[in-house]
Amino acid sequence: MVDILEKGYIAAVEKAKNDVLNDIYLYFEQMDDKPSFNEYMRYSGGHLEQIWRLAWKSKTVQRMNRYEKLHFLESRGLSADGLSKKGINKLIEQELEGYRTFDLHEWITDYFKQSPHLWDELYEDVKVKKQKEYFETHILKEHMLDSLMQARMKLYISLRADVAKNLAFELDGIPKAKLHGAKTLLDLFDLELELPNGEWLLEDFELEAFIGRLTYEKVVPTIQNELPDEVKRQYELLCGEKISRHLIWQLIGGKIEELEWEFHEELEQEDVNELLEVAATPFQYETHYRLYHEQAEIRERKRAEELAEQKRLEEEKNRQLEDIFGREYRTSIYQNTRYVLHIGETNTGKTYQALKRMKAAPTGIYLAPLRLLALEVYESLRSEGIACALKTGEEEKNIDDATHFSCTVEMFHEKDVYDVMVIDEAQMIADKDRGFSWYRAIQKARAKEVHIIGSHSSKKMLLNLLEGNDVELHEYHRNVPLKVEKKPFNLSHVKQGDALIVFSRAKVLQTASRLERDGHKVSIIYGSMPPETRAKQMKRFIDKESKVIVSTDAIGMGLNLPIRRVVFLENEKFDGTRRRMLTSQEVKQLAGRAGRKGLYNVGLVAFTSQIEAMTKLLEDEDKSINTFTIAPTQQVFDRFARYHSTLEHFFYLWGEFKNPHGTKKAPLTQERELYEHIRNTEIERRFPPSDLYGFLHLPFSSNEPALVRQWMANMKAVMNNTELPEPIIKRETLDELELSYKSIGLHLLFLYRLNRKTEAYYWERIREEISTRAHSQLRTDVKKYQKKCRTCGKSLPGEYPYNICQSCYDDRLLQRHHYRGRNFR
C-alpha cells in the first residue's frame, strides 16, 4: 500500500506542476498587457493549494481499486462496513488529507526565480496564440467566406454540368411518355420507374455523391486559390505554416455544408429538359453561365405569364361569382307589402291568428314546414267552405278552382301574387339544408300582407331582414304555464294525455309495445311515418281512443294535440353525426306542446333523469338566430348557364363563393351525393344543369339505397323518354309498407315534375291505400313488437336497456381483446 501511495505522490506532483503552468497560461490569455510574476501570485491566492489537492486525489483515490481502498482503511484501523462507494471515497480522502503534501507556491517561485526568461517566453507563446486565433477567426475566416460566395456560381455551374451529363446518360433511350410528365429532377426521383433490366430509374443516381465530389475536388482548392496572396503570406509569417484543407473545414465547414444543402435543393428543382440541354452543350464556363441565365430568363418569363393568366382567371372567376351568386342574396323586399310578425312560444295561438286573417282574405297562401301541416290546413280550409288547393311536390289537389293554397314552403313561386301570405315556423330560416326556402319566401313575397310566424329566437333576424318596411309586431306568451315535475318519471306513472318523447323509430315501437302490453291504448308518431297514418294516429289521441302518444321530435313542429304532459324518456339524440344532449331550443319546442290552451290550466313536463340540468335548458333565454341559410335558385342557374355547362363546375363555384355576412351556404349534401352517381355519364350530358339540379334536389330519403336506385332508374327513363319504372310495392311488413309509401312519393315527385298529373292522381290513390294498410299494420305490429338483439336477433326483455344481448357483447369484447393482442405481438 505504501508503494501505491508513493507512486501516486510522484504522479500527483508532476500533474500539479503542469496544472499550475496551464493556470498561468490561462491567466495570460485574460490579460491585455504582460503581468508580473508577483501579480499572478496575488491573483492565484489560495487556489494553488486547491490545484494540489485535486492532483493528489486524482492520482491516488481515483486510481485505487476497491480492494486497495478497503486494505488502506483497514491498515488505518477503520472499517468500511455499511458504507457506499461514495462514503468509502470520502473516508479515504479524509485520511489522505495531509498524508503527503507538496508546496506549489515554493516550487513555482523557485521555477521562475531560477529561469526568469521562462515567464517572458510563456507570455510570448500566449500572445502569439491569441494573435493567431484572432487572425483566423476575424480576418482569414471572412476572406474564406468571401471567396466561397464569389466562387458559388462557378461551383454550381460546374456541378450542374456534371449532374446534367450523368442524367442524360441515365435517360438515354427512355421514351418521354414513360416519364409521365415529370418536370423537375425531384419529379424523376419520385417516379419509381422500373426499367426493362429490372433496375429502377436513377436507382444509383445520388446527388449527394456529385456534391461530395465537388466539395472535395473543387470547393476547398478554389478557396485556397481565391484567397488574396497578402492574407496567405501574413498567415504563413504568423503561424509558420500554409493554410491547410483541415483549417478551411475548421473555420467554415458549417458554411460549406449549408452550401451543399442549397445546391442539393436547387438541383432537385432543376427542369429536366433544361438539364438535357445543358448536357448537350460542351462545357465551357462562360457558355454554360450564359445558358443558365438564358434558361432562368425564359423560366421567369413563363412564370410571369402563368401568374398573369392565374390573376386573369381569378378575376374572371370572381366576376362570375358575383354575377352568378352575389346579387342573388342581396335583400330586395317587395315594397308594397305590409309585414305582420307573430313571435312567441309554442302553443300560444300564433298560427291561429295568422290563418284567421288569411281565411278572411280574397286570396291567400299558407307555407308550411311539413307536408302534414300543409294537409291539416288544407283540410281545415276546405271544411270551412274555402276553395283551397294543396300543393306539396308529392301531390296536388283542387288546383283549378282555388282562391287559397296550402303548400310546403319549397313550393312557393315568387311570381304569384296574393292578398295574404302566411309563412310558418320562420325560425327554420337557420336550417342548414332547407333554410333558404324561408328566406326566399320572405324576400320574394308578393302580397298585400305577409304574416310571418316564428319563435323568439327568430325575432331579431326577421326585424333586420325587414328593416325599412311596414312591419307590425305581435308577441305571444303562454297563458298556460309549464311546470316541471320534481320526481323522475317511470313508465308505470303514465296517465291520460301523456306524450312520451324518444328519438328513434325503434325506441317508439319498443315503448309503445310495452305500454300496450301493460293495457294502455297508444298512438304513435315518428318521422318516416306516412303523413296520412300520422294524421290517423293523432285523431285517435284527439278522440281519446288512445290514452297516450309515443313520438319522436316529429311532434314538436306545428302539431296541436290535447297533451297534458310531455315526458322526455331520453335527454340525448343522434343528430346524424354524433349522439348529443338536447339543445335548449329543442327542449322548449317539445315541452311547449304540453298544456293545450282551453283544455288545461297548466302544462306538465317530466324527465327520467338529469331533472335539474334539463329544467335549466327549458328555462334558458332564447338565443337569437344570427345567420340564415342561402341556396341556389333558378335565377342563379340561368346566369350560370351563360358561362358553364356542367354541375361539377357549379358545385366548385358554389364552394368558392364567399357567402355574405350573416348567412351560411347550404351544404347541398344530397345533391352532391346523388350527382356522384351520374357524373360524366350520358344522363349528365343530356340535361341542362338547372334541370338536372332540380332532379337532384327532389325531397326524398336519399339515404335509403333502394330509393337511390329508383331515382337512377327514373333518370334513365326521363333521359330516354320512356315510361317511368313502377315504384316499389310491398305490403307484408310495416317496414315494407313505409318503404313503398316513400317509393310512391318519389314516383309522384317525378310525375308532377314531368306534368303527368293523370298518372299522379292514380298513384296518389295507391299511396292512400298503402297508408291505410300501414296504419292497420302499425297497430298490429305494436302489439306484437319484440325488442331483439341487433347482432344475433335474440329476443330481449322490454325493459332491457341495450340493443345488444350480453352474449354478443361478451363475444365482441373477446374479439377486440384478441385483435389488440395480435397487433401487440
Side-chain angles (χ1 to χ4, degrees):
M1 179 53 66
V2 173
D3 224 17
I4 293 173
L5 292 176
E6 187 60 34
K7 288 180 181 178
Y9 177 76
I10 294 169
V13 168
E14 290 304 312
K15 176 174 172 54
K17 288 178 181 180
N18 286 326
D19 287 350
V20 76
L21 289 174
N22 286 333
D23 186 64
I24 293 170
Y25 200 94
L26 293 173
Y27 174 68
F28 282 158
E29 285 186 342
Q30 299 171 27
M31 310 302 290
D32 293 329
D33 298 319
K34 182 174 76 173
S36 67
F37 176 74
N38 289 333
E39 284 175 323
Y40 170 72
M41 294 303 287
R42 285 194 296 272
Y43 158 79
S44 63
H47 79 256
L48 292 179
E49 184 63 29
Q50 180 68 15
I51 290 174
W52 164 248
R53 281 198 298 271
L54 291 173
W56 173 236
K57 178 181 175 182
S58 71
K59 298 300 180 180
T60 54
V61 178
Q62 293 177 4
R63 291 196 174 190
M64 293 167 69
N65 59 37
R66 179 176 174 80
Y67 171 77
E68 290 168 340
K69 289 176 182 178
L70 294 176
H71 182 66
F72 172 75
L73 291 175
E74 186 180 337
S75 70
R76 306 285 287 186
L78 299 172
S79 173
D81 291 347
L83 291 179
S84 64
K85 180 180 178 180
K86 187 175 180 181
I88 292 172
N89 288 342
K90 189 72 176 174
L91 188 57
I92 290 177
E93 286 176 24
Q94 291 173 358
E95 286 299 307
L96 288 176
E97 187 77 30
Y99 182 83
R100 292 290 298 271
T101 61
F102 180 75
D103 191 343
L104 268 178
H105 187 281
E106 182 181 341
W107 175 82
I108 197 68
T109 302
D110 290 344
Y111 181 81
F112 285 110
K113 188 176 182 180
Q114 294 173 9
S115 306
H117 64 279
L118 293 176
W119 182 262
D120 296 332
E121 288 176 5
L122 186 61
Y123 178 75
E124 287 302 317
D125 285 347
V126 173
K127 183 178 177 182
V128 169
K129 180 189 174 189
K130 288 173 68 175
Q131 289 173 344
K132 179 183 175 184
E133 287 178 353
Y134 180 85
F135 186 83
E136 287 177 350
T137 56
H138 289 78
I139 298 173
L140 187 57
K141 183 178 180 179
E142 290 302 314
H143 280 288
M144 286 181 179
L145 290 174
D146 287 344
S147 298
L148 183 64
M149 290 302 101
Q150 288 171 11
R152 187 189 191 287
M153 178 57 72
K154 196 168 186 178
L155 291 168
Y156 185 72
I157 294 296
S158 174
L159 174 63
R160 188 173 186 247
D162 191 19
V163 170
K165 179 181 176 183
N166 283 274
L167 178 66
F169 177 78
E170 292 281 343
L171 298 182
D172 186 39
I174 299 176
K176 279 192 175 183
K178 282 201 170 186
L179 301 182
H180 300 287
K183 294 187 68 175
T184 66
L185 197 53
L186 183 59
D187 293 339
L188 283 181
F189 285 132
D190 292 339
L191 194 57
E192 295 186 357
L193 176 64
E194 188 173 5
L195 302 175
N197 61 6
E199 296 179 356
W200 295 92
L201 179 66
L202 305 186
E203 184 176 356
D204 298 320
F205 192 90
E206 296 182 358
L207 291 180
E208 291 83 356
F210 294 107
I211 295 171
R213 186 165 67 240
L214 173 88
T215 300
Y216 184 81
E217 294 178 357
K218 295 187 178 179
V219 173
V220 174
T222 297
I223 293 171
Q224 289 174 319
N225 293 333
E226 294 293 327
L227 284 173
D229 291 338
E230 180 60 23
V231 171
K232 288 189 278 189
R233 188 184 66 78
Q234 287 179 16
Y235 182 80
E236 289 175 15
L237 284 173
L238 183 63
C239 303
E241 60 184 12
K242 292 186 177 183
I243 295 169
S244 66
R245 178 184 291 270
H246 174 75
L247 180 62
I248 292 173
W249 271 104
Q250 181 183 330
L251 293 179
I252 64 167
K255 197 65 182 177
I256 292 174
E257 288 177 352
E258 282 183 27
L259 188 65
E260 288 178 338
W261 276 108
E262 289 174 11
F263 283 174
H264 192 282
E265 290 181 354
E266 288 179 40
L267 285 169
E268 284 186 333
Q269 299 305 318
E270 284 279 1
D271 186 279
V272 173
N273 290 325
E274 290 180 2
L275 287 176
L276 294 177
E277 185 181 0
V278 169
T281 305
F283 186 76
Q284 184 180 22
Y285 174 72
E286 290 75 11
T287 305
H288 275 239
Y289 176 80
R290 189 165 55 252
L291 178 61
Y292 174 82
H293 285 286
E294 287 172 357
Q295 290 175 336
E297 286 175 11
I298 294 170
R299 199 161 55 244
E300 284 301 311
R301 187 164 61 249
K302 286 182 178 178
R303 178 63 180 156
E305 290 170 356
E306 288 172 0
L307 289 174
E309 179 63 11
Q310 286 177 11
K311 183 179 178 183
R312 186 191 69 77
L313 291 174
E314 186 68 19
E315 289 173 350
E316 174 61 17
K317 183 184 77 174
N318 291 333
R319 188 186 70 78
Q320 289 182 19
L321 289 172
E322 173 60 25
D323 183 40
I324 296 169
F325 301 111
R327 55 180 171 153
E328 185 67 21
Y329 306 110
R330 300 192 190 100
T331 304
S332 56
I333 300 293
Y334 186 56
Q335 295 299 317
N336 297 322
T337 297
R338 176 168 165 266
Y339 293 89
V340 183
L341 300 187
H342 301 269
I343 302 296
E345 302 164 273
T346 306
N347 248 348
T348 53
K350 307 184 300 293
T351 307
Y352 172 79
Q353 293 298 333
L355 288 176
K356 184 178 176 182
R357 181 70 189 95
M358 188 189 82
K359 291 175 185 178
T363 62
I365 183 171
Y366 168 72
L367 298 177
L370 301 172
R371 177 172 167 259
L372 181 59
L373 289 180
L375 183 62
E376 186 181 287
V377 170
Y378 162 76
E379 290 175 346
S380 173
L381 266 63
R382 296 290 293 185
S383 69
E384 295 179 31
I386 297 173
C388 184
L390 176 70
K391 191 171 184 180
T392 68
E394 292 183 35
E395 61 191 323
E396 294 181 3
K397 293 182 179 179
N398 302 309
I399 298 293
D400 297 334
D401 62 340
T403 58
H404 291 67
F405 288 81
S406 183
C407 310
T408 48
V409 68
E410 283 82 4
M411 293 298 104
F412 166 74
H413 194 272
E414 60 191 62
K415 293 183 179 180
D416 294 336
V417 180
Y418 304 93
D419 291 292
V420 173
M421 177 185 287
V422 175
I423 305 171
D424 205 354
E425 302 289 358
Q427 70 274 7
M428 288 286 289
I429 196 171
D431 183 82
K432 67 182 180 68
D433 294 311
R434 300 178 63 207
F436 185 65
S437 296
W438 275 265
Y439 171 77
R440 189 169 63 95
I442 294 168
Q443 186 192 41
K444 305 291 185 180
R446 295 173 64 83
K448 295 176 183 177
E449 282 182 22
V450 176
H451 291 253
I452 305 173
I453 304 161
S455 65
H456 287 296
S457 62
S458 65
K459 174 182 170 182
K460 183 179 177 182
M461 170 69 75
L462 294 172
L463 289 174
N464 287 340
L465 275 178
L466 301 173
E467 188 177 5
N469 290 273
D470 181 8
V471 179
E472 181 181 321
L473 175 63
H474 295 276
E475 296 200 61
Y476 297 76
H477 301 279
R478 289 183 66 96
N479 293 322
V480 178
L482 288 177
K483 179 183 177 183
V484 177
E485 295 184 346
K486 294 182 179 179
K487 292 183 178 181
F489 177 85
N490 187 286
L491 273 185
S492 61
H493 302 158
V494 72
K495 294 180 180 178
Q496 179 77 42
D498 281 349
L500 309 183
I501 307 300
V502 291
F503 295 100
S504 71
R505 175 181 178 274
K507 197 76 174 178
V508 167
L509 295 174
Q510 174 193 332
T511 305
S513 176
R514 185 175 171 186
L515 289 170
E516 287 272 1
R517 287 198 298 271
D518 289 343
H520 302 289
K521 297 294 184 182
V522 183
S523 285
I524 290 174
I525 294 177
Y526 51 83
S528 61
M529 177 183 287
E532 294 84 358
T533 304
R534 193 185 307 188
K536 290 173 183 176
Q537 289 289 315
M538 289 165 52
K539 189 173 187 308
R540 291 184 68 233
F541 185 69
I542 293 168
D543 295 342
K544 297 189 177 179
E545 290 179 29
S546 58
K547 174 180 179 179
V548 61
I549 189 165
V550 182
S551 174
T552 62
D553 49 359
I555 202 174
M557 193 172 291
L559 301 178
N560 289 317
L561 296 167
I563 297 170
R564 183 185 69 91
R565 176 172 61 175
V566 169
V567 180
F568 290 81
L569 296 183
E570 297 179 298
N571 298 336
E572 296 180 338
K573 66 178 288 188
F574 182 72
D575 62 7
T577 305
R578 61 187 176 90
R579 191 163 181 82
R580 60 164 175 81
M581 193 78 166
L582 297 174
T583 66
S584 174
Q585 189 58 44
E586 287 168 341
V587 173
K588 289 177 181 179
Q589 187 81 18
L590 292 165
R593 293 296 159 199
R596 178 75 177 272
K597 186 178 178 181
L599 293 178
Y600 304 104
N601 296 323
V602 64
L604 298 175
V605 182
F607 303 99
T608 57
S609 63
Q610 300 175 287
I611 295 175
E612 188 175 335
M614 298 304 291
T615 302
K616 186 178 183 303
L617 290 175
L618 180 60
E619 294 173 350
D620 276 352
E621 188 175 334
D622 281 356
K623 292 180 181 178
S624 295
I625 295 170
N626 296 315
T627 59
F628 60 87
T629 303
I630 57 175
T633 64
Q634 183 59 49
Q635 289 76 12
V636 163
F637 277 103
D638 290 343
R639 292 191 291 272
F640 171 78
R642 300 176 196 161
Y643 304 102
H644 307 286
S645 59
T646 68
L647 271 181
E648 184 170 17
H649 203 82
F650 177 83
F651 288 130
Y652 163 73
L653 289 178
W654 180 249
E656 290 291 298
F657 170 58
K658 290 180 174 57
N659 45 295
H661 178 71
T663 70
K664 56 186 176 183
K665 292 184 291 187
L668 309 183
T669 305
Q670 172 182 299
E671 292 82 353
R672 291 176 188 271
E673 289 176 354
L674 289 176
Y675 176 68
E676 287 303 312
H677 291 279
I678 58 166
R679 185 163 61 93
N680 297 329
T681 65
E682 186 65 22
I683 293 175
E684 182 177 21
R685 288 188 284 273
R686 294 277 290 275
F687 288 95
S690 61
D691 290 352
L692 187 56
Y693 182 83
F695 286 112
L696 295 173
H697 191 61
L698 291 175
F700 74 99
S701 301
S702 60
N703 58 334
E704 297 202 36
L707 297 183
V708 173
R709 289 193 294 271
Q710 179 184 342
W711 180 86
M712 280 291 296
N714 285 359
M715 291 299 298
K716 290 176 182 177
V718 175
M719 176 186 71
N720 296 323
N721 197 25
T722 58
E723 288 297 316
L724 296 177
E726 287 200 353
I728 300 164
I729 304 293
K730 294 183 179 180
R731 297 181 170 89
E732 294 301 317
T733 66
L734 181 60
D735 287 341
E736 289 180 350
L737 287 164
E738 289 180 354
L739 178 61
S740 298
Y741 187 93
K742 293 175 187 176
S743 179
I744 296 171
L746 177 58
H747 193 70
L748 285 166
L749 287 171
F750 272 88
L751 291 175
Y752 279 116
R753 188 167 185 84
L754 299 171
N755 203 27
R756 289 156 66 170
K757 294 184 179 181
T758 304
E759 288 181 65
Y761 297 152
Y762 165 77
W763 283 106
E764 280 183 14
R765 289 196 299 274
I766 299 296
R767 187 169 65 167
E768 285 176 11
E769 182 264 320
I770 293 289
S771 176
T772 301
R773 188 180 289 252
H775 180 253
S776 176
Q777 188 73 38
L778 177 63
R779 298 185 65 180
T780 303
D781 281 11
V782 165
K783 292 176 182 178
K784 297 190 302 182
Y785 182 82
Q786 176 64 57
K787 185 174 183 179
K788 294 182 179 180
C789 172
R790 69 185 180 195
T791 302
C792 69
K794 175 184 173 182
S795 296
L796 301 171
E799 65 279 2
Y800 189 75
Y802 307 111
N803 292 322
I804 183 172
C805 70
Q806 186 65 45
S807 177
C808 289
Y809 178 72
D810 292 341
D811 288 345
R812 182 183 293 179
L813 284 180
L814 285 172
Q815 289 173 5
R816 192 177 300 167
H817 177 74
H818 174 70
Y819 175 77
R820 286 177 179 170
R822 184 180 60 194
N823 279 355
F824 179 77
R825 290 193 295 273

